[in-house]
Amino acid sequence: MRIAFASEPAHPDRPNEDFIGATADAVVLLDGASIPPGVTTACSHSVRWYSHTLGSTLLAEITQHAGPLPQLLAQAIKHVTALHEATCDLTGGGSPSATVIMLRHTAGHLDWLVLGDSTLVLDTGTPDPIVICDDRLDQIAAPHRARLDSLPVGTPDHAEARREYAETLGKYRNRDGGFWVASTDPHAADHALTGTIPTNQVRAAALLTDGAADAVNRYHLTTWRQLLDVLAQDGPAELIRNVREAERSDPHGERWPRSKPHDDASVVYCGRAHKTG
Ligand SMILES: [Zn+2]
């Protein structure tokens, strides 16, 4: 297997809150949920600290322990919570959170886990690949987006609406009937989507944070099939370039209403080695 990846922050001068980690047999991809200006939290740690600490812990877990992926994720969440529960108030619910994708290659099988709105695409050689994304956040968010989506990105009114929107969504986070992400509660791992597929049925796999999956979901630049072909032929950086180009063509979110002009975008592509020459 060949693993290629690319990750780009929303802005060159801001920290990238996505995390990618890989070994020869495992890949993890996390997307830290940005906290809009004005939203207060009793945790002193940054979103980047959270996604990178959880991501590296998760990679250590998946390398050192067998066992079901949700169990490894629960252990990693517990470990990271222990790192700051003595210094931060983690009971208020405002502490940093992240989506998680885990992919593990074992004898003859690929195990996968998806928690939150990052996307896993499995290329099984059919015209329509298998696309796995947890859409609970989208479903919860839809009725609360109207004001945000009606305002031009980059204006003070939009920023205010974004803060309100984030606070409203916070009430649904890691609750039954709401949506689930990695934060401080290890039980979130039980709410992840999981599966196993024989390795010989999978030609390639792509892992994308929502900032990159927007190429299909929001901007409709390609189909999932075409996206896999771009990744195989031109690599992950090319996909992110296409996403940025679309965003630059619509800086105020008139064509594609969104929370921010750009988002951190990360892509991992696991495929068979390219023939050269
Ligand atoms: Zn903290």
Side-chain angles (χ1 to χ4, degrees):
M1 289 283 265
R2 178 181 64 122
I3 298 180
F5 63 78
S7 184
E8 201 180 294
H11 297 281
D13 55 345
R14 302 247 184 94
N16 190 338
E17 294 168 341
D18 289 354
F19 176 88
I20 295 170
T23 69
D25 300 314
V27 183
V28 300
L29 172 83
L30 289 85
D31 177 358
S34 342
I35 301 174
V39 175
T40 52
T41 154
C43 167
S44 61
H45 292 88
S46 68
V47 172
R48 179 183 158 89
W49 173 85
Y50 183 75
S51 60
H52 285 233
T53 307
L54 181 65
S56 45
T57 305
L58 209 46
L59 200 60
E61 284 285 333
I62 206 171
T63 312
Q64 293 161 15
H65 303 285
L69 297 182
Q71 192 180 313
L72 302 183
L73 175 56
Q75 273 306 116
I77 293 173
K78 233 185 261 182
H79 174 82
V80 178
T81 299
L83 293 179
H84 66 142
E85 66 188 347
T87 55
C88 301
D89 177 8
L90 304 181
T91 56
S95 40
S97 63
T99 73
V100 177
I101 298 184
M102 301 165 74
L103 193 63
R104 176 175 63 188
H105 185 199
T106 59
H109 284 86
L110 274 184
D111 301 325
W112 54 263
L113 174 150
V114 176
L115 177 66
D117 66 356
S118 291
T119 302
L120 172 66
V121 188
L122 299 175
D123 183 356
T124 53
T126 54
D128 292 318
I130 299 172
V131 180
I132 302 135
C133 181
D134 180 352
D135 65 354
R136 278 172 286 188
L137 172 59
D138 259 3
Q139 287 183 12
I140 298 286
H144 301 286
R145 290 198 64 99
R147 178 153 184 268
L148 183 66
D149 287 346
S150 71
L151 296 163
V153 174
T155 60
D157 283 350
H158 184 273
E160 173 64 17
R162 189 177 161 216
R163 186 187 61 72
E164 275 175 21
Y165 171 72
E167 284 179 349
T168 303
L169 289 189
K171 296 176 191 151
Y172 294 94
R173 194 177 76 170
N174 288 356
R175 301 241 157 96
D176 284 320
F179 67 96
W180 294 85
V181 285
S183 182
T184 55
D185 181 358
H187 293 112
D190 298 333
H191 296 269
L193 309 176
T194 57
T196 292
I197 185 167
T199 310
N200 61 12
Q201 290 181 16
V202 182
R203 290 185 178 184
L207 297 75
L208 306 101
T209 59
D210 63 340
D214 275 350
V216 176
N217 290 337
R218 191 189 302 272
Y219 309 133
H220 309 291
L221 307 177
T222 68
T223 64
W224 290 115
R225 175 74 261 160
Q226 290 162 340
L227 178 139
L228 288 169
D229 295 341
V230 167
L231 293 178
Q233 283 154 29
D234 305 314
E238 177 64 15
L239 179 72
I240 296 176
R241 250 194 306 276
N242 295 341
V243 167
R244 290 291 183 254
E245 201 176 290
E247 289 165 346
R248 278 194 299 270
S249 76
D250 179 43
H252 304 295
E254 285 149 347
R255 181 169 176 197
W256 300 298
R258 53 198 192 266
S259 303
K260 40 202 168 180
H262 307 287
D263 192 2
D264 296 342
S266 300
V267 184
V268 185
Y269 181 73
C270 318
R272 298 198 176 137
H274 252 171
K275 282 182 193 148
T276 50

